[in-house]
Amino acid sequence: LLFFGCRREDKDYLFISEWKELGFVPIQPDRPHSLSKSINGVRFDIELAFSRTPDCSRVYATDRIRERGADVSAMIYTGGHVFVAGSANKMPSDVRKSIIQVLVEHPPSPFPSPSPVVVDKEERDIGKLEAEAEAILAGMTRTKAYYVEAWS
């Protein structure tokens, strides 16, 4: 799962022709920002975010991360890796906050799906989940499973 964010679709969407040549197509007609391709039975998704396209609302990669929160959380809890690349300003910390948020909102279930017990969000210890999410990312950082390449 790749989250690709840039300012303007008409000027900064650097890999559009390559992704189209590789056969990535919109997941659904009403979601042109979500591309997908299956290779040997493995699904690869690309979520696009453009923050300065004229006449469009601002959408950041962090918005797409939260939209796909359950998928992001499941990938991390099953050993996925995260590579963050881009501007060194606010982006790395914003991405980290978004990942912490999705780990808190989508913790692993101790029960096989569907879960026989539904836990109300109010009953969960959010502080404990945030601390666990921070610890997960700290461990991933130590092992290079969470890596940031940022520049100014």
Side-chain angles (χ1 to χ4, degrees):
L1 175 57
L2 170 68
F3 295 93
F4 179 84
C6 61
R7 290 183 180 220
R8 291 185 53 154
E9 183 174 6
D10 59 342
K11 294 184 178 185
D12 302 321
Y13 191 179
L14 303 177
F15 305 106
I16 185 171
S17 59
E18 289 86 348
W19 288 337
K20 284 183 178 179
E21 284 176 24
L22 289 171
F24 281 91
V25 296
I27 293 172
Q28 298 172 351
D30 62 334
R31 296 193 63 197
H33 63 270
S34 297
L35 307 177
S36 186
K37 179 180 179 163
S38 185
I39 302 171
N40 296 327
V42 177
R43 183 173 152 179
F44 295 88
D45 291 349
I46 302 172
E47 291 290 335
L48 306 170
F50 304 106
S51 61
R52 305 289 191 290
T53 299
D55 302 322
C56 293
S57 60
R58 290 185 178 199
V59 179
Y60 297 93
T62 52
D63 297 320
R64 300 290 187 227
I65 289 169
R66 287 188 299 275
E67 286 174 11
R68 296 285 301 265
D71 296 324
V72 171
S73 181
M75 286 188 338
I76 288 173
Y77 282 120
T78 57
H81 289 232
V82 176
F83 180 76
V84 179
S87 170
N89 291 331
K90 290 176 46 185
M91 188 273 305
S93 64
D94 288 348
V95 167
R96 186 178 184 87
K97 288 176 191 171
S98 293
I99 291 174
I100 296 290
Q101 180 182 351
V102 301
L103 291 175
V104 167
E105 291 177 1
H106 304 280
S109 174
F111 304 101
S113 282
S115 174
V117 177
V118 176
V119 178
D120 184 7
K121 284 185 178 183
E122 301 304 318
E123 294 179 32
R124 297 184 304 168
D125 183 347
I126 300 300
K128 181 180 176 189
L129 290 173
E130 286 175 348
E132 289 172 0
E134 288 283 359
I136 288 167
L137 288 187
M140 290 176 68
T141 301
R142 277 192 306 279
T143 63
K144 304 277 191 264
Y146 186 91
Y147 187 82
V148 177
E149 178 77 29
W151 56 88
S152 336

